[in-house]
Amino acid sequence: MPSLSITRIYLALLLGTITSEALTHTVQIQATVPSEASKAVDRSFTGFAFEQSSFYNYSFDAQGNPNEFSQNLVNAVLSRTGGTPLLRVGGTSGDHGRYNASQNNATNYPATEYGPQTKVSGNRLAIGPSFFKAFKNWPGAKFELMVPFYNTTFSHSVEWARIGIGQIGIDNLYALELGNEPTFYPWFSIKEYVKRYRSLQARLIAAIPSLADKRIFQAFDTASYAAGDLTTKPAFQDGLNANASSIKQVAYHYYQNQQGVADFGVFQDYIRHTATKSNLTNFLPDIEYLKENHSAIGFAFTETGYTVGGSGGDDYIKTNNFASALWSLDFQLCALSMGVKRVNWQQILRSDLQMWRPVNTSLGAPRVTPHFYSQPFVADFISKSGKTRVVELDNIGAPQNGFYSGYAAYDDGKLARIALLNLELWDSQRSTGGRPEATFSLLGLSGTGSNITVHYLTADNGALAQKNVTYSGLEWTWASRGKEKRVKDDSKTLEINDTKVDIVVNATQAVLLEIG
């Protein structure tokens, strides 16, 4: 496996003042793809997820036209890989909701004014026929469509699916998702889930014959922090084996944090690579089970975010900032290296976890948030080759602090790109002293190329920055309607000298290295 050693400056060791500024990290990288690398990466890995009622406003602008701001931002990501935009539409509000054929409005709770309505009775979400017109506004996209599963009678599920598929078209339906976070259902057990899943699937196929004999269903969509309650092996052994040929992917939800964090010091603990890696490792048994027993079924995180909420006083850490964008980048690259097929990033209109806000809401004007900037980086790391395999670089830096992570991408078996992340938090307002940096000395590059082009994901103000974030000198804004604009020329090209090159990465920064 890729290995790494650490050289400490001797004076710093004597004085006991070792910091990231006093470390050079020697990274030994294999020039050809190692055996433990992932399978070829899906070029549609970077997906998006839209909370049920929010989807309409991400699809239409305030004038009722297709939302070009949203379209441009999705295209800014997927055009880098040549992949198909895969958009998941669902969530608890829809799972608890109902379809009302006589309702004129798309939803009875406009997402511009209300958060997701998750009640199971009374004032709950209702969607009308016009809601499904939103699926027409995403050229070239395919959809993961959720239908209600919570209601034990499935009274709205079949009609919901029939209308939705009628608008989407069976060829643009990537997967049909049955329910959302069933581990929270009052009737849940694995055995009961399997029985009801198979029952609803049979009813849907009977009502919509175009679903028959296709690998087109999605299973699980297990709640974050409840992944252990619904796992692959017992569920398939309890009956899903009989339906395996119809299941395209098994889905889990993931949030790094439940309600945000209250202070800067605790924030560092959530951002550390070691925390992310430890959490993701919990999913390896499910990933491996599918690979060994149902290799045609993908493993995906179909609803993902840094946190599901959070509010607090002046010292409270806002959950959409540059540091949490770096966490998003590390999470996705780590997931790639573990064999995860896709990550869909959650979008809720009136929340702080979205990648962009497409229209005016009671919380503010349209915007692109720091979290978006992880996506073009991930897409460039994947590339358009269709043959990219990924491996994590082991033990970068001091493993006990979890500040650093690194990944290598191989095209046709040859080293093509490297990502290096410095997750040590530094903020212009919260930190004292200058911005720390770490130097990575990359070895083993013989025969890979003559130079390396360095692209930076950075924010001058550091961890809590909400603005002036750039990737490769580019920014995306509401003013540009989601089209990239070059605002600086900070990329640079370095020669590979005697098969190595030294890269400096500031605290709270990431770099993408392209070998040429």
Side-chain angles (χ1 to χ4, degrees):
M1 297 179 72
S3 61
L4 180 149
S5 62
I6 302 172
T7 304
R8 290 177 170 80
I9 293 177
Y10 182 65
L11 179 60
L13 181 60
L14 289 176
L15 296 175
T17 58
I18 298 173
T19 69
S20 60
E21 292 178 297
L23 291 174
T24 295
H25 310 287
T26 302
V27 186
Q28 186 70 42
I29 301 176
Q30 290 183 209
T32 56
V33 64
S35 60
E36 70 273 15
S38 71
K39 294 192 298 185
V41 172
D42 188 335
R43 292 189 298 163
S44 299
F45 173 86
T46 49
F48 299 91
F50 298 90
E51 188 276 328
Q52 192 76 50
S53 58
S54 295
F55 178 62
Y56 190 83
N57 295 104
Y58 275 93
S59 302
F60 286 99
D61 64 19
Q63 289 72 45
N65 300 314
N67 196 307
E68 293 185 2
F69 182 40
S70 291
Q71 292 175 356
N72 290 338
L73 288 169
V74 170
N75 183 62
V77 179
L78 274 302
S79 64
R80 290 171 141 76
T81 68
T84 299
L86 295 180
L87 312 182
R88 182 245 182 180
V89 181
T92 302
S93 65
D95 196 18
H96 294 176
R98 55 193 173 88
Y99 174 70
N100 183 349
S102 63
Q103 180 174 293
N104 291 326
N105 293 330
T107 71
N108 59 337
Y109 286 96
T112 53
E113 300 296 328
Y114 299 93
Q117 301 297 301
T118 59
K119 296 177 181 178
V120 298
S121 61
N123 295 327
R124 57 195 172 113
L125 177 69
I127 62 172
S130 63
F131 175 87
F132 293 99
K133 295 179 181 179
F135 289 96
K136 296 293 189 182
N137 292 351
W138 301 88
K142 294 190 176 186
F143 299 92
E144 300 162 33
L145 173 68
M146 188 212 73
V147 298
F149 188 37
Y150 180 92
N151 188 319
T152 57
T153 65
F154 308 142
S155 56
H156 299 280
S157 305
V158 173
E159 190 63 15
W160 190 301
R162 183 184 287 114
I163 299 297
I165 295 171
Q167 286 288 337
I168 294 168
I170 192 66
D171 292 337
N172 293 324
L173 179 67
Y174 181 79
L176 190 62
E177 170 189 339
L178 308 191
N180 180 76
E181 301 182 348
T183 46
F184 290 153
Y185 293 175
W187 51 258
F188 175 78
S189 69
I190 290 179
K191 191 174 291 292
E192 189 66 17
Y193 168 80
V194 170
K195 183 181 77 173
R196 297 188 187 208
Y197 181 95
R198 296 183 66 195
S199 174
L200 177 54
Q201 189 190 88
R203 290 180 62 175
L204 289 165
I205 291 172
I208 309 170
S210 59
L211 293 172
D213 302 319
K214 287 184 174 65
R215 189 179 292 278
I216 203 166
F217 286 89
Q218 183 166 300
F220 288 24
D221 279 273
T222 305
S224 184
Y225 298 97
D229 296 336
L230 179 54
T231 56
T232 51
K233 184 176 180 179
F236 277 85
Q237 290 181 343
D238 274 349
L240 284 187
N241 275 327
N243 299 65
S245 63
S246 67
I247 298 174
K248 178 170 283 185
Q249 64 184 17
V250 165
Y252 284 82
H253 298 174
Y254 185 98
Y255 292 95
Q256 183 79 344
N257 173 273
Q258 284 282 56
Q259 295 296 330
V261 294
D263 64 67
F264 196 62
V266 175
F267 191 32
Q268 177 70 82
D269 291 335
Y270 282 101
I271 299 298
R272 293 179 199 273
H273 172 69
T274 42
T276 301
K277 179 70 175 290
S278 176
N279 290 344
L280 278 173
T281 299
N282 293 327
F283 296 93
L284 278 176
D286 297 295
I287 295 170
E288 292 298 321
Y289 176 81
L290 292 176
K291 184 166 64 175
E292 294 171 6
N293 296 276
H294 299 287
S295 59
I297 300 177
F299 179 101
F301 289 111
T302 55
E303 182 182 315
T304 313
Y306 174 72
T307 181
V308 293
S311 60
D314 293 339
D315 291 334
Y316 208 85
I317 303 299
K318 290 185 180 297
T319 55
N320 202 324
N321 53 52
F322 183 60
S324 55
L326 285 182
W327 169 81
S328 169
L329 173 62
D330 189 42
F331 174 86
Q332 292 180 81
L333 296 180
C334 191
L336 272 173
S337 72
M338 290 184 171
V340 173
K341 188 174 181 64
R342 184 155 11 271
V343 172
N344 299 75
W345 193 274
Q346 179 73 336
Q347 303 273 75
I348 299 177
L349 193 57
R350 292 183 77 259
S351 77
D352 198 41
L353 59 77
Q354 82 251 140
M355 290 190 164
W356 69 94
R357 183 189 294 144
V359 294
N360 282 302
T361 77
S362 56
L363 294 183
R367 63 173 185 169
V368 178
T369 74
H371 282 165
F372 174 80
Y373 285 78
S374 63
Q375 300 305 89
F377 187 119
V378 173
D380 280 344
F381 183 79
I382 292 170
S383 84
K384 292 183 176 180
S385 78
K387 300 178 181 179
T388 301
R389 298 176 64 190
V390 176
V391 66
E392 181 181 352
L393 303 175
D394 290 341
N395 301 320
I396 287 194
Q400 69 273 12
N401 62 35
F403 286 164
Y404 313 117
S405 64
Y407 306 87
Y410 296 81
D411 290 344
D412 283 322
K414 183 179 178 181
L415 182 66
R417 290 167 299 283
I418 301 166
L420 297 172
L421 289 78
N422 185 339
L423 299 168
E424 180 179 4
L425 293 190
W426 177 88
D427 184 75
S428 61
Q429 300 299 312
R430 298 289 185 103
S431 303
T432 59
R435 192 169 191 165
E437 62 184 33
T439 300
F440 299 91
S441 186
L442 309 181
L443 303 179
L445 303 181
S446 178
T448 61
S450 59
N451 58 68
I452 287 181
T453 302
V454 186
H455 303 288
Y456 294 89
L457 175 57
T458 193
D460 290 343
N461 289 329
L464 302 186
Q466 302 274 313
K467 300 177 180 179
N468 301 319
V469 177
T470 59
Y471 164 63
S472 191
L474 303 171
E475 71 173 9
W476 292 261
T477 64
W478 164 243
S480 71
R481 295 304 188 267
K483 293 185 177 181
E484 67 181 45
K485 180 180 179 181
R486 184 163 297 282
V487 295
K488 64 169 82 168
D489 292 312
D490 62 348
S491 297
K492 59 186 179 183
T493 300
L494 304 174
E495 291 185 0
I496 297 175
N497 182 22
D498 293 331
T499 76
K500 81 176 184 71
V501 65
D502 291 340
I503 304 293
V504 176
V505 186
N506 289 336
T508 320
Q509 189 180 69
V511 298
L512 177 65
L513 313 178
E514 293 183 313
I515 297 174

